[in-house]
Amino acid sequence: MEDLGKIHQLIIPFFGHDITLNVEVIVMTWIVFFALLCFGFFATQKKSRLPGPLQVVGELFVEHLYALTEDALGKELSKTYAPLICALFMFLLLSNWLGIIPHLEEPTKDLNTPLSLGIMGFAIAHYAGIKAKGLKTYLKDYCEPMFIMAPLNIIGELAKVISISFRLFGNIMGGAIIILVVSYLTYNIITPPFLNAFFGMFVGTIQAFVFTMLTVVYIAVQVN
Amino acid sequence: MAYDIQTWVNVAAFTGGGMAMGFGAIGAAIGEGFTAACANEAIGRNPKLSGDIFKSMLVGQAIAESASIFALVIAMMLLFTKFPAHTLTPYVLIAAGLCMGFGAIGSGVGSGFPAGAACKGMARQPGVTGRLTTNMLIGSAVCQTPAIFALVVSFILLFTDFSMHPVSPTWAAILGAGISSGLGAIGSGLGGGLVAEASCDGISRQPLTATPVTNVMLLGQAVTQTTAIYALLVSFILMFKSFPTTDLLAPPMALLSAGLCMGIGAIGPAIGEGFAGRSAVAWIARNQEHIAALTRVMLVGQAVAESTGIYSLVIALVLIFVV
C-alpha cells in the first residue's frame, strides 16, 4: 500500500534550484513514443490495395479522426489540424492502455502529462483563433457581453485547461488507485484483470477520445 | 466525561460507515427503480422482446448499482479496518464516509436514465438492440466517473498518513476535502445521466445517426463533469497543501467553507449543463443536417451555465489561498 501516491523522482541541483524529473513517467512516455513510431513505420512499409492488418488499423485511425476534425473545423482547417489530432489520440490511447502490462505505468497517471497536453491544446486553439479572426476581434470577444465580464471570461478560458487535463488525470489516476487498493484488499485474487479491462481499456479509450474531441472543439470554438 | 482517542476513532468509524452506506443507498435505488419502470413500459409495448428487455434492464441496473457498491466497500473498510489512534483520524474517517456517501447519489440516479431509455428504445426499434446496448454501457460508465472521483478521494483520505500535519487547520481541510468531492459529484452524475438518456432515445428513433449521437453525448457528458473536476481539484489542494499551524478558529473554518462552497456550488451548474446536453443530443437525432450548429449552441450554453461553478471555484481558491 506504500505505492499509493509514490513518485520516483530524480532531483538535480542546478545553480541553487532543484530540477525534479519524474523518471518513471519519462521512461513510460518514451516507450509510448517508440511503440507509436514502430507502428507508423510498419503500417506504411508495405502499402498495397489489399491492406495488411497494421495498414487497416492505421487507415481506421486516420479515416475516422480526419472525418471528426472535418466535421468540426471544415475542410480547409482540418488539413492543418487533423494530423495533430490523430497523433494526440493515438498517443493518449496507447498511454492509457500501457498500465495493463505489469510493471508499466500510464504516463497520463502523472498530472504533468495531461496538463502539458492541455496547455498545448489551449495554445494551439488560441493561436488558431487569432489567426482566423485577427487580434482585434479576438480581444474584443473577451469583452462579451460587457467590458466588466473580461476577467471572468479569462478565468473561464483558463478553467478549460484545468478541466480538460484533470478529467484525464482523475480518471486514469483514479482507476490506478482503485486497482491498487482493491487488489490489496482481495490479495490479488481474480479481480485485477477485470478491473484492468474496465479502467484500462474501456475508460482509457473513452477518456482518450473525450480529450481529443474537446481539443478539436476548443479549436473550433475559437475559430468560429 | 472524557473519552480517549481510540474511542473517538471507533465512534467516527461507525458514524462514517453508517453515513457512507446510508447516503450511498439513495441514488442507485432511485435509478434502478426508474430503469425497471421503463422496462415494464417497454415490455407492455412490445411483449415479444421481453427477454432482451429484461436482460438489458438487469445490465443497466447492475451498472447503476456500482455507485452503491463503492459506498458499501468504503463502509465495510470503515467498520472492519483498525485505524491508528491519532487526533486527526476521526475527521479522516467521517470525511471519507461523507465523501463516498454523497458521491454515490448522483451517479446512481444518473446511470438509471440511459438504462431505462435503452429498454424503451429496444421496444420501439428492435433492430438496433446491439448499438443501443453499447451506447448505454458507454453512457452509464461515464456517469459513474463522479462516483469514481469520490471513491478515489475516500481512498486517498483513508490511506494517507496525516500524522505529520498540524491538527488545527488540517482537521478542517480533511473535512472540506471529503465534502467538496462528495457533494460535487451529485450534480455531474445526474446531468451526465440526462445526456445519456437522450442519446439512447435518439438512437432508437433514428439509428442512422448513432455515431454522431454517441460522439456528442460523450462531449456533453464530459462538459457536464467539469464542475465535479473542479471539486476534485479543490479536494486535492485541501489534502496535499501544507497549512501553517494556527490556534485561531477562522483559518480552519475558511478551509471547511472552501470545501462546502465548491461542493454545493458544483451541483446546480452540472444539472443545468445536463439539460443543455440532453436537448442538443435529442435534436441531433431528429435533425442530422444541423449537427454542427446544435453542438456549438450546446457548448456555448453549457459554458454559460457553468460560469456559476467557476465563481464557486474562484471563491473556494480565495478561501484557501488568500483568507
Side-chain angles (χ1 to χ4, degrees), chain A residues 171 198 202-203 206-207 210, chain B residues 63 107 111 136-147 188-189 192 217-218 221-222 225:
Chain A
N171 275 286
F198 180 75
F202 188 59
V203 175
I206 291 178
Q207 292 304 325
V210 165
Chain B
I63 301 176
S107 295
S111 298
M136 177 194 82
L137 287 177
I138 296 175
S140 324
V142 179
C143 284
Q144 295 295 329
T145 309
S188 294
M217 172 194 81
L218 279 176
Q221 285 189 312
Q225 274 163 21

Side-chain angles (χ1 to χ4, degrees), chain B residues 35 38 56-57 59-61 110-120 136 140 200:
Chain B
T35 311
C38 289
S56 163
M57 177 191 86
V59 172
Q61 286 180 325
S111 298
F113 293 153
C119 290
K120 279 204 232 169
M136 177 194 82
S140 324
C200 285

Side-chain angles (χ1 to χ4, degrees), chain A residues 5 16 63 71 95 105 112-113 137 168 173 183 201 219 223:
Chain A
E63 200 175 309
D71 285 346
S95 303
E105 307 242 325
N112 292 307
T113 312
T137 333
L168 182 61
M173 194 253 340
S183 311
M201 314 272 303
I219 298 175
V223 169

Side-chain angles (χ1 to χ4, degrees), chain B residues 83-173:
Chain B
F83 293 100
H86 183 265
T87 327
L88 279 173
T89 314
Y91 299 107
V92 168
L93 302 182
I94 288 187
L98 272 180
C99 178
M100 194 58 242
F102 286 140
I105 297 177
S107 295
V109 181
S111 298
F113 293 153
C119 290
K120 279 204 232 169
M122 278 177 197
R124 191 196 290 258
Q125 191 72 270
V128 286
T129 307
R131 182 73 209 197
L132 266 176
T133 310
T134 318
N135 190 65
M136 177 194 82
L137 287 177
I138 296 175
S140 324
V142 179
C143 284
Q144 295 295 329
T145 309
I148 290 174
F149 288 163
L151 181 65
V152 168
V153 171
S154 299
F155 277 154
I156 294 178
L157 281 170
L158 290 178
F159 287 104
T160 309
D161 186 13
F162 285 105
S163 57
M164 291 299 160
H165 296 258
V167 174
S168 175
T170 310
W171 65 266

